[in-house]
Amino acid sequence: MAIEFTQSYKLVNQKYDLSFKADVLVIGGGPAGAWAALTAKENGANVILVDKGYCGTSGATAPSGSGVWYIPPEIEKREEAMKSREALGGYLSERKWMKRVLDRTYENMNQLEKWGYPFPVDENGVAHKRSLQGPEYMRLIRRKLNKAKVTILDHSPALELLYDSHGVAGAAGINNQTLQTWSIQASSIVIASGGCAFLSKALGCNVLTGDGYLLASEAGADFSGMEFSNAYAITPKFSSITKTAFYNWASFTYEDGSIIEGAGSQRGRSVIARKLHEGQKVFAQLDKAKNDLDLQKWMRIAQPNFFVQFDRMGINPFEDRFEVTLRLEGTVRGTGGIRIVDETCATSVPGLYAAGDAATRELICGGFTGGGSYNAAWAISSGYWSGEAAAKYAFSFNRNSQDRTLIRKQVIGINEHSSTKNFLAASEVTKMVQSEVTPFDKNLFRTEEKLTPALLRLNQLWDEAKTSLQENHGNIVRVRESAAMLATSRWMYTTALQRKETRGMHKRLDFPKLDENQHYRLITSGLDEIKVNRSTLFQNT
């Protein structure tokens, strides 16, 4: 659930309460941001990490158990692992990137073991490294950050990027607890602030509102794969936990107990969505693991928090049916995000890098969900590469003598307004965005007939928000969140209208087949006027 704050972002002569300097600024304290900060520090950089919440406990990973795309360096196993994803993703993933991620994830997971992460060990003493428990993982990462002397600013959301004649030169924001404003001068920036789940109440996603997307776009960066942004996760109706791996062992039934044909976790969520959209109740039971006690034991070890929700309700999910629904996870479990232009995870803006869910995951997932193991591997790998590159970029400046003059841009929600007569509340913007992106018949089952008027309403709302959305009673964080969600929804639907086919998770009912002539990426850019261009894939070797 969203937390309400009462901070003010009123600056006196653009003076901030706290000012810092760093070689590298990392925005976001999840796994990708943490790996970026650690790697930049290892490469000799002075690093500051800012997190909207508390680094180590906020975000989608911290409260969850997650699989990891960890495959030993055996040719056959890795070939099978890569091949298994290509068709699901509409053949938009790339072997070159998959191999790089598998290599880097393998190295970093082994590093976690050396640092003391408690991987489960079998009877032969072999550690199993294909899953991570969020609380232990992020607690360990936080300790490593502190030991490396990375400066961490908790509860300190970045509200805007700062600039100079060279381009991006830092960021500014506010501490939600002390109410102090802050600014950071930095030679390079890594955006690792996660995706956008539109405040759908998915576990750990209350801080994931697309803030980094908005910052990147305001700096001039573009996006890739924003049509692959309509991920909905299966969850018990009474819960916010959206871990879906174990639903592969589930049967889905109507209220009377009869089987719903075609319903499933990986390939049958659309069937579940249709039934829910029709007003029918849907139930699940992990009955395919009912008689396998060893499997049940492994499940509880791999993702214990998945079972906490049932244990508290007195439900045995292997024996009992429970009602389920679908909760929107947007680009958190989708694959769209800030476009990566090279192997360093650089964006199209010099000195600005992207990692984790803030960046596109098309490179390894194509157009199908990167949720769970693939996103975890991507966070580790992209965090490492972006941190390494950001440190090297920072050293291209003479940090000992350079005193950069930071300037602000006029950005939505922070503009100076001469009047509050036509005040637009952040909460209303959020509700209007949710009304357009949450319904299955708009976002999941897409048609031009539904997308076009939805996008028109969102564009009109943006035009109004540019002049009327502003801080009120110290809610500047909510203002910027609502603007970020609004911008994200417009990039999603503008791009979705341009892909006139069904590929990956992007389903067009009016174009229900995959079109080989549309085997390309869609690059989306702009805020006031959004443009979509085609892009060929990197070399797929």
Side-chain angles (χ1 to χ4, degrees):
M1 179 177 250
I3 303 172
E4 292 298 333
F5 302 104
T6 58
Q7 71 276 35
S8 175
Y9 197 62
K10 306 293 186 187
L11 301 177
V12 180
N13 297 322
Q14 296 192 14
K15 295 292 185 181
Y16 299 87
D17 297 321
L18 301 171
S19 295
F20 306 87
K21 290 180 68 174
D23 298 318
V24 176
L25 167 63
V26 177
I27 299 175
W35 280 107
L38 284 172
T39 308
K41 189 70 176 181
E42 288 172 359
N43 280 270
N46 175 26
V47 183
I48 297 177
L49 181 151
V50 299
D51 195 340
K52 187 194 286 190
Y54 182 87
C55 173
T57 63
S58 68
T61 296
S64 306
S66 177
V68 181
W69 203 34
Y70 175 89
I71 309 294
E74 300 173 20
I75 295 176
E76 295 80 6
K77 288 184 178 180
R78 289 197 170 181
E79 174 67 24
E80 181 182 355
M82 292 186 289
K83 187 176 181 179
S84 67
R85 297 292 296 183
E86 291 174 322
L88 281 173
Y91 298 97
L92 292 179
S93 57
E94 300 184 21
R95 289 290 182 97
K96 179 180 179 180
W97 279 89
M98 288 173 142
K99 291 174 182 177
R100 293 185 72 224
V101 168
L102 286 170
D103 286 344
R104 177 42 55 194
T105 302
Y106 183 79
E107 294 295 330
N108 285 30
M109 289 292 283
N110 291 340
Q111 182 64 63
L112 280 175
E113 183 180 32
K114 293 177 183 177
W115 287 344
Y117 180 84
F119 288 107
V121 179
D122 64 19
E123 61 275 9
N124 298 316
V126 178
H128 289 263
K129 305 172 188 175
R130 298 192 66 173
S131 65
L132 289 166
Q133 297 308 315
E136 288 81 4
Y137 178 27
M138 295 310 299
R139 190 180 302 119
L140 173 60
I141 289 290
R142 170 103 187 188
R143 288 202 301 268
K144 295 301 294 185
L145 289 167
N146 287 331
K147 187 175 181 180
K149 300 190 185 308
V150 170
T151 299
I152 303 173
L153 302 184
D154 294 309
H155 309 292
S156 298
L159 298 176
E160 57 182 321
L161 295 186
L162 302 176
Y163 305 83
D164 70 359
S165 59
H166 298 281
V168 291
I174 193 166
N175 184 296
N176 285 322
Q177 294 188 329
T178 67
L179 309 185
Q180 292 177 305
T181 59
W182 55 262
S183 67
I184 299 171
Q185 174 185 313
S187 299
S188 59
I189 301 172
V190 178
I191 292 181
S193 51
C196 182
F198 298 98
L199 293 178
S200 63
K201 299 183 180 178
L203 182 67
C205 293
N206 60 310
V207 294
L208 304 178
T209 49
D211 306 356
Y213 296 162
L214 184 60
L215 295 175
S217 182
E218 288 168 345
D222 48 19
F223 302 85
S224 182
M226 292 305 289
E227 70 272 38
F228 306 120
S229 51
N230 55 339
Y232 290 79
I234 301 170
T235 180
K237 194 168 184 180
F238 57 82
S239 172
S240 64
I241 294 178
T242 55
K243 308 307 291 183
T244 59
F246 295 158
Y247 290 104
N248 287 321
W249 285 271
S251 293
F252 296 91
T253 54
Y254 295 103
E255 191 169 9
D256 64 5
S258 59
I259 292 290
I260 301 175
E261 295 297 333
S265 175
Q266 191 173 75
R267 294 181 180 272
R269 289 189 205 182
S270 294
V271 176
I272 296 172
R274 289 186 186 281
K275 301 305 176 184
L276 293 172
H277 184 62
E278 293 168 359
Q280 300 191 60
K281 293 183 178 181
V282 176
F283 293 80
Q285 179 184 344
L286 307 184
D287 55 341
K288 295 176 184 178
K290 180 178 179 179
N291 299 317
D292 192 333
L293 297 182
D294 288 336
L295 177 58
Q296 292 181 27
K297 181 180 179 181
W298 168 81
M299 286 178 167
R300 284 188 172 272
I301 292 173
Q303 292 191 10
N305 75 321
F306 177 85
F307 293 94
V308 170
Q309 59 187 332
F310 297 112
D311 294 341
R312 288 175 175 171
M313 300 291 290
I315 296 172
N316 181 341
F318 302 105
E319 300 281 350
D320 306 326
R321 294 195 310 145
F322 51 93
E323 191 174 357
V324 297
T325 188
L326 294 177
R327 198 176 295 279
L328 178 64
E329 289 186 310
T331 63
V332 173
R333 199 181 289 264
T335 63
I338 302 168
R339 182 170 72 98
I340 298 301
V341 301
D342 61 28
E343 294 184 354
T344 69
C345 291
T347 72
S348 54
V349 177
L352 186 64
Y353 299 81
D357 291 354
T360 181
R361 280 131 290 153
E362 287 177 295
L363 301 167
I364 63 168
C365 296
F368 189 75
T369 176
S373 60
Y374 302 89
N375 275 9
W378 175 249
I380 291 170
S381 303
S382 61
Y384 182 95
W385 294 322
S386 62
E388 180 181 56
K392 292 178 180 178
Y393 185 92
F395 294 137
S396 66
F397 293 91
N398 187 340
R399 61 178 179 175
N400 294 320
S401 62
Q402 187 173 9
D403 189 12
R404 307 170 74 176
T405 301
L406 305 185
I407 59 174
R408 305 171 69 192
K409 283 186 177 180
Q410 288 287 299
V411 295
I412 189 168
I414 304 181
N415 292 326
E416 291 295 329
H417 297 276
S418 58
S419 171
T420 58
K421 183 178 180 180
N422 297 316
F423 173 76
L424 181 61
S427 59
E428 289 304 308
V429 172
T430 296
K431 289 178 182 178
M432 286 186 275
V433 171
Q434 289 172 329
S435 71
E436 300 297 346
V437 299
T438 303
F440 301 138
D441 65 332
K442 293 181 184 179
N443 198 4
L444 185 58
F445 305 120
R446 294 170 164 175
T447 62
E448 184 173 356
E449 182 182 11
K450 289 294 182 70
L451 288 174
T452 299
L455 180 59
L456 177 61
R457 289 188 289 269
L458 291 168
N459 284 338
Q460 290 172 337
L461 182 58
W462 178 265
D463 289 338
E464 182 181 357
K466 283 192 298 181
T467 57
S468 302
L469 178 62
Q470 57 186 291
E471 181 178 356
N472 183 39
H473 302 300
N475 70 334
I476 186 61
V477 175
R478 297 292 170 245
V479 166
R480 290 291 278 171
E481 285 179 342
S482 67
M485 288 186 283
L486 175 55
T488 301
S489 68
R490 294 169 62 239
W491 292 319
M492 285 167 42
Y493 281 1
T494 302
T495 315
L497 280 165
Q498 292 300 310
R499 189 172 287 282
K500 301 180 187 298
E501 62 164 350
T502 290
R503 187 184 294 266
M505 69 171 62
H506 170 69
K507 295 177 175 63
R508 286 287 297 266
L509 298 189
D510 44 356
F511 297 96
K513 295 182 180 180
L514 185 146
D515 180 1
E516 293 295 344
N517 293 320
Q518 296 186 51
H519 187 234
Y520 45 69
R521 295 218 171 90
L522 292 177
I523 308 303
T524 309
S525 60
L527 272 168
D528 295 339
E529 181 183 353
I530 299 176
K531 297 181 180 180
V532 180
N533 296 303
R534 301 176 184 178
S535 174
T536 57
L537 277 60
F538 291 102
Q539 186 177 359
N540 199 13
T541 58

